[in-house]
């Protein structure tokens, strides 16, 4: 069995206090924008009458799923020393209740450091632990304070969130037999769902020797053409029947992804048309399965992509119970072009420094290569340089990038001495996140570094 992916360990005590102190290239996020994006999608789901099952693959952080919007401390340190033994006992109980299996979690506290649990005291407890407590007490932003009902795209992500006490985790990639031993550990630990769209995968689950039935979503192709069963194919019903009748499985519901919304080049109305098609396709299949002669229970019917959830139809079919966007928490220039957001909603940047200036070639060299921001979006200059509409990224090497003027006019090199910081708004924030092991969260001034959020790594 493949061991869980080892996650990064970051000491909160080493977090720089100002953006100018950061080693570049690195990933930065704007606290208030992340918070606003999260609140807005939660509200939209409520208005549409469905549960938000946020996809974690964009930010891949515990803290991106943690912190409650109304908590204005928002992961600040609790530096208040206890006053009495009774107060200390209350604090200790609160810590233990909040963390559960969090204690000793990968990136913050050494498992060897037993002194913290042997008698934690605010005046002696490491800053990293105090931040962790504040995080736990802050609640859960993306899940509206519940730490339940999330979507992931890798087993490493599922383990990452299960270790942090999250429940009701949907692994939204078709599972295959070789991944079942690792998935079985998650299945035993928490409410964990897998997805299938092929008879071999269904049989592997039905015949596995798990201690309890697998909770399984049947993936549905709503027109995207990437994965999911064809709702017009009779064998699709047979797969649902097999999942519902086997002692080894339970049909959790239907899952679909309107990924073809990313190809909607005709504006917001085109995206809404895809959203309607997506919802109607999966709702119709749910009606088929629930109706005679099949009479199957289909508890959950999920839809969603960030474009279709940012610009959804006015009303979902009554069968739709969940939506699972992910990119919305950060957004990016691709989403802006699709009409999902404005530039003010793009919450993350790749921070880079000027390391060379070549006037004869009209080029600046920066320390951001494709290892820091991915090569996706090359035809869109990999994104947009914040505050510098006159500039564009014209090329990326492995560890360096080239910047020139957007219209070919001479760059004002006096503005960009060596060491100048530039910020790239990503073309696709999911791909940019994947290039980093942490993100620095900035305060309202976009200069003060508040927190360092470790990013889940691996598959």
């Amino acid at each position: 069995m493949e061991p869980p992916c080892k996650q990064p360990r970051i000491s909160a005590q080493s977090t720089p206090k100002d953006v100018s102190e950061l080693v570049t290239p690195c990933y930065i996020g704007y606290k208030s924008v992340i918070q606003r994006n999260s609140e807005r999608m939660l509200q939209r789901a409520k208005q549409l009458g469905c549960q938000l099952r946020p996809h974690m693959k964009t930010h891949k952080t515990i803290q991106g799923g943690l912190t409650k919007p109304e908590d204005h401390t928002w992961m600040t340190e609790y530096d208040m020393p206890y006053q009495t033994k009774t107060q200390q006992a209350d604090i200790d109980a609160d810590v233990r209740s909040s963390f559960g299996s969090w204690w000793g979690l990968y990136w913050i506290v050494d498992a060897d450091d037993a002194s913290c649990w042997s008698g934690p005291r605010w005046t002696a407890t490491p800053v990293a632990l105090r931040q962790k407590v504040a995080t736990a007490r802050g609640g859960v932003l993306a899940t509206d304070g519940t730490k339940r009902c999330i979507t992931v795209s890798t087993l490493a992500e599922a383990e990452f969130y299960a270790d942090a006490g999250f429940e009701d985790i949907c692994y939204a990639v078709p599972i295959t037999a070789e991944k079942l031993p690792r998935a079985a550990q998650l299945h035993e630990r928490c409410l964990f769902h897998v997805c299938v769209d092929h008879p071999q995968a269904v049989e592997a689950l039905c015949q596995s020797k798990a201690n309890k039935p697998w909770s399984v979503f049947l993936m549905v192709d709503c027109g995207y053409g990437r994965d999911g069963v064809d709702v017009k194919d009779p064998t699709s019903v047979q797969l649902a029947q097999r999942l519902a009748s086997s002692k080894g499985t339970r049909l959790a519901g239907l899952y679909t992804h309107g990924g073809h919304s990313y190809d909607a080049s005709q504006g917001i109305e085109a995206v809404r048309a895809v959203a309607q098609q997506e919802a109607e396709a999966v709702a119709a299949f749910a009606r088929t399965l629930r109706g005679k002669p099949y009479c199957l229970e289909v508890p959950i019917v999920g839809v969603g992509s960030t474009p279709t959830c940012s610009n959804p139809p006015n009303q979902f079919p009554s069968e739709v119970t969940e939506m699972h966007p992910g990119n919305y928490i950060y957004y990016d220039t691709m989403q802006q072009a699709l009409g999902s957001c404005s530039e003010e909603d793009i919450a993350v940047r790749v921070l880079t420094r000027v390391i060379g200036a070549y006037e004869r070639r009209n080029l600046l060299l920066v320390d951001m290569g494709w290892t820091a921001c991915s090569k996706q979006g090359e035809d869109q200059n990999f994104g947009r340089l914040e505050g510098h509409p006159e500039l564009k990224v014209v090329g990326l090497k492995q560890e360096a990038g080239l910047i020139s003027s957007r219209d070919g006019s001479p760059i004002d090199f006096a503005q960009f001495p060596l060491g100048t910081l530039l910020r790239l708004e990503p073309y696709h924030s999911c791909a940019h996140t994947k290039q980093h092991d942490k993100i620095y969260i900035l305060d309202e001034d976009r200069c003060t570094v508040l927190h360092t959020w470790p990013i889940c790594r691996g598959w």
Side-chain angles (χ1 to χ4, degrees):
M1 185 188 71
E2 182 183 353
C5 182
K6 187 176 181 179
Q7 299 302 332
R9 299 165 63 86
I10 296 172
S11 170
Q13 292 171 314
S14 64
T15 298
K17 298 301 183 183
D18 188 83
V19 71
S20 63
E21 301 172 24
L22 296 176
V23 175
T24 54
C26 64
Y27 207 32
I28 58 174
Y30 299 154
K31 166 190 163 181
S32 61
V33 182
I34 294 171
Q35 185 168 317
R36 185 177 69 238
N37 291 345
S38 298
E39 289 179 285
R40 185 181 298 155
M41 192 61 73
L42 282 162
Q43 185 60 34
R44 185 173 293 127
K46 290 176 182 178
Q47 291 171 349
L48 289 166
C50 63
Q51 170 71 46
L52 181 65
R53 182 184 287 276
H55 209 309
M56 302 287 138
K57 71 182 181 69
T58 297
H59 59 88
K60 294 174 177 282
T61 67
I62 299 299
Q63 294 89 336
L66 289 166
T67 65
K68 211 169 186 176
E70 60 268 27
D71 179 4
H72 298 294
T73 61
W74 217 70
M75 296 177 55
T76 55
E77 299 171 15
Y78 283 178
D79 270 328
M80 297 169 60
Y82 70 98
Q83 299 298 319
T84 66
K85 290 184 178 180
T86 300
Q87 289 173 328
Q88 178 60 42
D90 290 341
I91 290 172
D92 291 352
D94 190 10
V95 171
R96 294 177 187 275
S97 174
S98 297
F99 288 142
S101 63
W102 286 29
W103 175 245
L105 197 60
Y106 28 78
W107 78 89
I108 293 186
V109 181
D110 283 332
D112 298 336
D113 188 1
S115 62
C116 299
W117 266 132
S118 63
R121 298 293 183 266
W122 289 114
T123 53
T125 305
V127 171
L129 177 58
R130 294 199 299 272
Q131 284 189 320
K132 202 174 192 181
V133 174
T135 300
R137 294 183 64 157
V140 184
L141 185 153
T143 57
D144 200 22
T146 66
K147 290 173 62 180
R148 294 183 59 84
C149 198
I150 64 171
T151 310
V152 298
S153 59
T154 69
L155 289 175
E157 290 170 13
E159 292 158 349
F160 188 67
Y161 288 101
D163 285 345
F166 282 71
E167 279 275 349
D168 194 356
I169 302 170
C170 176
Y171 173 47
V173 175
I175 198 161
T176 48
E178 74 280 356
K179 291 187 175 72
L180 290 185
R182 190 172 165 194
Q185 294 190 349
L186 287 157
H187 178 51
E188 291 298 320
R189 295 170 56 193
C190 63
L191 177 55
F192 177 67
H193 315 282
V194 295
C195 291
V196 296
D197 65 358
H198 195 282
Q200 289 182 14
V202 171
E203 287 308 310
L205 288 167
C206 291
Q207 295 176 22
S208 71
K209 297 180 180 180
N211 293 328
K212 59 182 179 180
W214 290 92
S215 180
V216 188
F217 280 93
L218 183 61
M219 304 184 86
V220 173
D221 182 9
C222 63
Y224 184 25
R226 183 186 69 181
D227 49 36
V229 300
D230 182 350
V231 296
K232 297 180 181 178
D233 187 337
T235 61
S236 300
V237 174
Q238 293 170 15
L239 289 180
Q241 288 178 304
R242 177 70 171 128
L243 290 170
S245 62
S246 171
K247 292 182 179 180
T249 57
R250 178 182 68 85
L251 180 61
L254 305 177
Y255 182 102
T256 195
H257 172 62
H260 48 315
S261 58
Y262 286 86
D263 300 322
S265 58
Q266 305 302 314
I268 290 175
E269 290 309 312
V271 171
R272 284 204 173 102
V274 173
Q276 192 70 47
Q277 175 193 25
E278 173 190 35
E280 289 178 353
V282 71
F285 191 49
R287 288 193 295 270
T288 297
L289 296 178
R290 289 168 176 168
K292 295 181 179 181
Y294 310 114
C295 301
L296 301 181
E297 291 187 9
V298 185
I300 300 171
V301 178
V303 302
S305 67
T306 286
T308 58
C309 291
S310 296
N311 287 297
N314 293 329
Q315 185 176 355
F316 280 141
S318 60
E319 291 81 7
V320 173
T321 61
E322 287 186 354
M323 50 191 270
H324 41 251
N327 180 277
Y328 72 93
I329 195 166
Y330 286 170
Y331 282 125
D332 48 43
T333 62
M334 176 170 56
Q335 294 290 346
Q336 183 186 355
L338 289 166
S340 302
C341 67
S342 66
E343 184 176 2
E344 290 72 27
D345 298 321
I346 302 174
V348 290
R349 308 287 190 270
V350 177
L351 187 69
T352 184
R353 279 186 171 88
V354 175
I355 59 174
Y358 312 98
E359 295 190 34
R360 290 182 62 184
R361 285 177 279 164
N362 203 38
L363 289 173
L364 295 170
L365 188 70
V366 294
D367 59 3
M368 172 192 69
W370 54 259
T371 52
C373 72
S374 104
K375 268 206 162 185
Q376 196 173 8
E378 184 172 7
D379 60 342
Q380 299 296 320
N381 304 117
F382 310 100
R384 181 191 304 113
L385 290 162
E386 178 186 348
H388 293 285
E390 77 283 7
L391 300 179
K392 64 179 180 180
V393 179
V394 295
L396 293 175
K397 308 303 180 184
Q398 182 170 333
E399 300 295 349
L402 293 168
I403 292 174
S404 190
S405 60
R406 188 167 291 278
D407 60 4
S409 61
I411 296 173
D412 182 0
F413 285 89
Q415 289 189 49
F416 305 102
L418 298 192
T420 298
L421 287 172
L422 296 173
R423 307 182 187 206
L424 181 74
E425 300 170 2
Y427 173 76
H428 186 189
S429 59
C430 303
H432 285 61
T433 298
K434 187 68 176 176
Q435 306 301 98
H436 297 267
D437 64 1
K438 57 183 171 293
I439 180 170
Y440 297 102
I441 301 302
L442 307 187
D443 206 349
E444 296 286 347
D445 60 7
R446 301 193 174 186
C447 290
T448 304
V449 181
L450 296 174
H451 314 290
T452 306
W453 293 0
I455 295 172
C456 178
R457 307 292 287 172
W459 284 270

